[in-house]
């Protein structure tokens, strides 16, 4: 199990793993939210040696960013609404624990609750199944 709360500062190997695993988990999150490929960007900014950098999933209705922010890395997943993939400021910031990257269905539920993204797909799937 990856230790999401261990600092990436001044530890290039840990930072590389942090980015690789977070990128992989955000891909799984996109699949869990039924986001078709091509309708979102997935990017990584490693930034400087003293910080974790960020891994971002940017859809036209939501912006999700993983990083070790501020003095406490415990709440390192930023979730907010946005209006397109050129909107980098979006709606209000909501933070959830980095550990949610180990529970993609729970993280997807948080994204749905905050942004509504993925709800419409779930409902249309339920209607087709009925």
């Amino acid at each position: 199990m990856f230790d999401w709360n261990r600092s990436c500062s001044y530890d290039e190997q840990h930072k590389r793993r942090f980015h690789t695993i977070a990128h992989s988990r955000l891909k799984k999150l996109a699949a869990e939210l039924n986001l078709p490929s091509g309708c979102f960007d997935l990017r990584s900014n490693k930034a400087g040696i003293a910080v974790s950098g960020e891994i971002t999933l940017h859809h036209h209705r939501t912006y999700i960013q993983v990083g070790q922010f501020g003095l406490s890395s415990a709440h390192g997943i930023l979730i907010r609404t946005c209006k397109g993939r050129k909107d980098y400021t979006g709606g209000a910031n909501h933070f959830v624990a980095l550990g949610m990257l180990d529970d993609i269905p729970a993280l997807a539920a948080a994204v749905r609750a905050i942004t509504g993204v993925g709800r419409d797909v779930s409902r249309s799937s339920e209607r087709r199944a009925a």
Side-chain angles (χ1 to χ4, degrees), residues 2 4 8 14-27 29 41-47 51-58 63-69 76-79 98 101 107:
F2 187 77
W4 295 106
C8 290
H14 185 67
K15 184 176 187 172
R16 192 175 317 112
R17 288 194 67 225
F18 181 88
H19 277 256
T20 299
I21 295 169
H23 188 276
S24 171
R25 302 291 168 84
L26 288 178
K27 277 180 91 169
L29 175 63
D41 298 320
L42 191 52
R43 56 187 178 268
S44 180
N45 171 22
K46 292 210 174 157
V51 295
S52 70
E54 309 89 30
I55 306 87
T56 306
L57 187 155
H58 200 167
Y63 184 93
I64 302 162
Q65 190 171 71
V66 174
Q68 294 176 336
F69 307 117
I77 304 174
L78 163 68
I79 303 168
L98 280 167
L101 289 167
L107 180 54

Side-chain angles (χ1 to χ4, degrees), residues 91-110:
N93 292 345
H94 301 268
F95 289 90
V96 297
L98 280 167
M100 290 190 81
L101 289 167
D102 293 327
D103 187 351
I104 296 303
L107 180 54

Side-chain angles (χ1 to χ4, degrees), residues 1 10 12 36 38 40 42 53 57 59 62 68 70-71 73 75 77 79 85 94 98 103-104 130:
M1 178 99 16
Y10 303 100
E12 182 58 35
F40 63 91
L42 191 52
L57 187 155
H59 176 262
T62 189
Q68 294 176 336
L71 298 174
S73 61
H75 289 88
I77 304 174
I79 303 168
R85 287 193 273 179
H94 301 268
L98 280 167
D103 187 351
I104 296 303

